[in-house]
Amino acid sequence: MRDEHNEKVEDIVKRLGSRRREHRAIVDNRARQLTLFAQHQDQLERACNQLLSKYREANIQARTEPAPKHFASPYKLERIKPEIAVDGEWSEKDLGASIRDAQEELNAQVRLIGQECERGIEQYRDLDKLHPDSVNG
């Protein structure tokens, strides 16, 4: 039973380490998504300006009057800055400390269980000393 319990605890300790790597991957992925979103907005602005340029050129050629002044200025896309809600979010440092604490607690529990098991085995051996099996014969 002790060995089964220890194996389960060791598995939990290993999974805690993988959870930390998973957290890091999630945070990195979010940062990458935010960068990609900003780049996408830049691309939208460039595409819009290219389309407006073609439209304005055709419009100027078809006009009999001068083009409006705003034809000379590029379009500026109003950027959306995503808000990252960090309420309740663990920092890498906090997560690492929490995982280390949990691993230390689990390892301490394994040691205590091992000590208690050894005490039980020792008590069992003491019974043999008090009442040894004797063969008359």
Side-chain angles (χ1 to χ4, degrees):
M1 287 180 71
R2 176 187 64 185
D3 291 341
E4 285 179 26
H5 179 267
N6 287 348
E7 286 175 19
K8 288 178 184 176
V9 169
E10 287 173 16
D11 184 51
I12 291 169
V13 169
K14 287 177 189 174
R15 284 189 286 159
L16 283 172
S18 70
R19 296 287 190 237
R20 184 175 188 178
R21 286 187 299 278
E22 186 177 325
H23 177 266
R24 179 80 248 150
I26 289 169
V27 170
D28 289 346
N29 187 48
R30 180 179 59 192
R32 189 173 66 252
Q33 290 294 325
L34 292 172
T35 300
L36 288 172
F37 181 67
Q39 290 173 353
H40 179 66
Q41 291 183 97
D42 292 342
Q43 178 61 28
L44 288 173
E45 186 177 83
R46 281 191 301 274
C48 184
N49 277 314
Q50 285 180 348
L51 291 171
L52 278 174
S53 174
K54 298 237 183 253
Y55 163 77
R56 289 173 178 170
E57 285 174 21
N59 187 289
I60 289 171
Q61 289 176 0
R63 283 178 168 271
T64 56
E65 300 172 1
K69 291 181 182 180
H70 70 271
F71 271 32
S73 60
Y75 173 76
K76 287 289 184 192
L77 180 70
E78 185 178 331
R79 300 290 198 258
I80 298 171
K81 178 116 172 126
E83 291 184 26
I84 301 172
V86 292
D87 296 341
E89 186 173 310
W90 290 31
S91 70
E92 185 73 22
K93 181 181 174 184
D94 293 340
L95 181 63
S98 178
I99 288 174
R100 277 190 302 281
D101 291 347
Q103 288 172 332
E104 288 172 7
E105 179 66 28
L106 287 168
N107 289 330
Q109 290 298 318
V110 167
R111 283 191 299 277
L112 288 173
I113 289 170
Q115 291 170 354
E116 195 61 36
C117 186
E118 289 300 320
R119 269 186 277 218
I121 291 171
E122 197 57 42
Q123 288 174 350
Y124 182 74
R125 288 185 184 137
D126 287 345
L127 285 175
D128 282 346
K129 291 177 189 173
L130 291 173
H131 302 289
D133 289 339
S134 58
V135 178
N136 291 328

